[in-house]
Each structure stands twice: as C-alpha cells, then as structure tokens.
Amino acid sequence: MATKSIHNIIEGYRQGKKRLAVLVDPDTPDSNALQTIIKKANEAEADFIFLGGSLLVKDALDECIDAIKSMTNIPVILFPGSIMQISGKADAMLFISLISGRNPELLIGSHVIAAPYIRQAKLETLATGYILVDSGRQTTASYMSGSAPVPHNKPEIAACTAMAGEMLGQKLIYMDGGSGADNPISAKMIGAVRKSVDLPIIIGGGIRNAETAVKICQAGADIVVVGNASEENPDLIKTIAKAVHNVSKPEYTS
C-alpha cells in the first residue's frame, strides 16, 4: 500500500497536476534568507520543500527542518546527497539510486549502509531513479558522484535509462542538471522519457523563469524543482508556481 507522500505524488500524476518543489540546501541560506524563502513558498502554495544538497558542510540538518516546519505545513522531503543527510524529522525521503551512473556506491552501496538508520527513523522512502544530465558545466552533483552525466543531446539514452529504472521498481524518475546548471534539460529529452515510462517525472536544474518551467511541464514533467534561482530571487517562487499550476488547467493556452 502506498504511503502518504508517494500516494500524493502518484495521485497528482494520474490527475495531470503539475507541482512545484522548492529546493533548500541546509548549508546555504541564513535564518533570514530561509524565512523569506519559506514565506514565499507559502504564498505561492508550493507543493513540496526538497531539502538537501550534494555536499553538507554544516551539521544543521535537524535544525533546518525544525525551522522550516515551524513556518509551513508544506511537506518536507529529504533530497540527500549522502547518508549523512538522514533525519526522521522530515516527512519523507527521496531514496535515490543514481541509475545514469556507473558508481556502485550510488546504485546500492550507500543504500545498504543507510537502510537501518532510515528504518529506525521510521522515515517514508520514495524509490527514485536519479538521472544526471549534462547542463553545460560540471556541477557539484556530477563531481561528487564521480559520474558522467547523460549528454544533453542524447534523449534516447535518458529514455532507456528511465525505462530500466521503472523495470527495476523505481517509483519516481528525477532528471537533474545539477545545482547551478547553465542550461535546463531539453523538452526533447523530457518528452522522450515521458513516452517511455508511466511514472511521475521530476525535473531540476537551470530553471530560472516561468517560461522555462511551463515548457518543461508541457514536455511531460510532473514536478519542477527550483533551487538556486529562488535563493537569488525568492519572488520567482510565486511566479513559477503560478505558471506550473496553471499548466494543469484546461483553459491554459500560453
């Protein structure tokens, strides 16, 4: 039986709803900046807060979750870059397998170590096939994972990778250009993956305006993730949320 967060995501996908996730790196915003981001997320009626990063410098994950939960009822879902980023205070966790890479630690090795901690924390896990895509520059995610991203002009590789993930039992596909990506993932690649799997698709990296978010949703994304851009300009959260949510509506024609 599907648990709360995964049921929410799958039901939204089945209903054709488009969602926004605001990605927060617990290392990056100070308390004032975090308060601003969460305030804007509330005003925008963002659907999820994704929390995590490829590198955790400060030991502030629990503190960050407490702060976020004191300001919002939006579900907080961990987007961990390592087994150090596990906390039972979150609502759920993307249990990520880097299916685009060939690093065995990120396919299963780290998961074996993390599993008992996750079980002890009674944390809901969302089995997620993670696909890194070339975004025009090396990102922290590609560097830390020691993994070559899928070439941006090879949608067939992404499609076949997503299909394999679905066959292996993944419940979500997350395609990511990485933090600070120069370019968003192309509509052509997203469309190829959309035609290849019957799973919710999450897209992140390089999304800096509402127009890009709309194109990504129209190509087949179900959840759009905005991170760095929202830290630099929190007002973008409301603009992008409105655009993403409107894609779900029949009257949307832009």
Side-chain angles (χ1 to χ4, degrees):
M1 182 176 178
T3 45
K4 186 176 180 181
S5 294
I6 191 64
H7 179 77
N8 181 336
I9 292 171
I10 291 173
E11 281 301 300
Y13 162 59
R14 297 294 181 203
Q15 294 168 16
K17 292 181 179 178
K18 306 297 183 179
R19 268 91 170 272
L20 174 69
V22 178
L23 175 60
V24 176
D25 185 336
D27 276 341
T28 305
D30 58 29
S31 58
N32 290 333
L34 180 62
Q35 186 174 7
T36 299
I37 290 170
I38 301 305
K39 178 183 177 183
K40 296 296 183 181
N42 284 331
E43 293 173 354
E45 298 182 353
D47 301 281
F48 307 101
I49 302 293
F50 285 179
L51 182 64
S54 299
L55 185 64
L56 190 64
V57 177
K58 303 173 186 174
D59 184 17
L61 185 62
D62 283 353
E63 181 182 341
C64 190
I65 295 172
D66 286 338
I68 292 171
K69 282 187 163 291
S70 72
M71 294 183 278
T72 188
N73 291 320
I74 298 171
V76 178
I77 299 178
L78 295 179
F79 175 36
S82 74
I83 59 173
M84 301 298 292
Q85 298 180 33
I86 299 171
S87 172
K89 293 189 173 187
D91 295 297
M93 170 181 171
L94 298 177
F95 200 49
I96 291 170
S97 182
L98 182 61
I99 58 176
S100 63
R102 300 297 180 266
N103 182 342
E105 286 305 305
L106 300 181
L107 283 168
I108 185 62
S110 295
H111 307 68
V112 173
I113 297 170
Y117 295 98
I118 296 170
R119 179 65 58 83
Q120 186 176 14
K122 298 181 180 179
L123 188 60
E124 178 190 355
T125 53
L126 314 182
T128 305
Y130 189 64
I131 301 175
L132 271 176
V133 179
D134 177 38
S135 66
R137 69 160 73 178
Q138 186 176 50
T139 62
T140 306
S142 61
Y143 180 82
M144 293 300 295
S145 67
S147 175
V150 173
H152 70 92
N153 61 342
K154 297 292 183 181
E156 66 278 8
I157 296 179
C160 291
T161 302
M163 276 193 283
E166 182 177 38
M167 292 174 185
L168 284 166
Q170 304 293 343
K171 302 302 182 186
L172 309 171
I173 295 295
Y174 193 144
M175 301 169 65
D176 195 6
S179 178
D182 280 345
N183 305 306
I185 297 169
S186 71
K188 186 175 181 180
M189 180 175 284
I190 296 168
V193 172
R194 175 73 288 152
K195 292 175 183 176
S196 301
V197 298
D198 184 20
L199 295 175
I201 297 173
I202 305 169
I203 301 292
I207 302 168
R208 298 183 178 87
N209 54 62
E211 292 76 18
T212 300
V214 168
K215 289 178 182 177
I216 285 171
C217 288
Q218 291 174 333
D222 302 289
I223 299 174
V224 171
V225 182
V226 178
N228 280 14
S230 66
E231 291 177 8
E232 296 165 7
N233 180 8
D235 288 328
L236 277 176
I237 295 173
K238 189 171 184 178
T239 304
I240 293 177
K242 182 178 180 181
V244 167
H245 292 155
N246 279 345
V247 178
S248 304
K249 298 177 181 178
E251 66 269 25
Y252 188 85
T253 57
S254 175

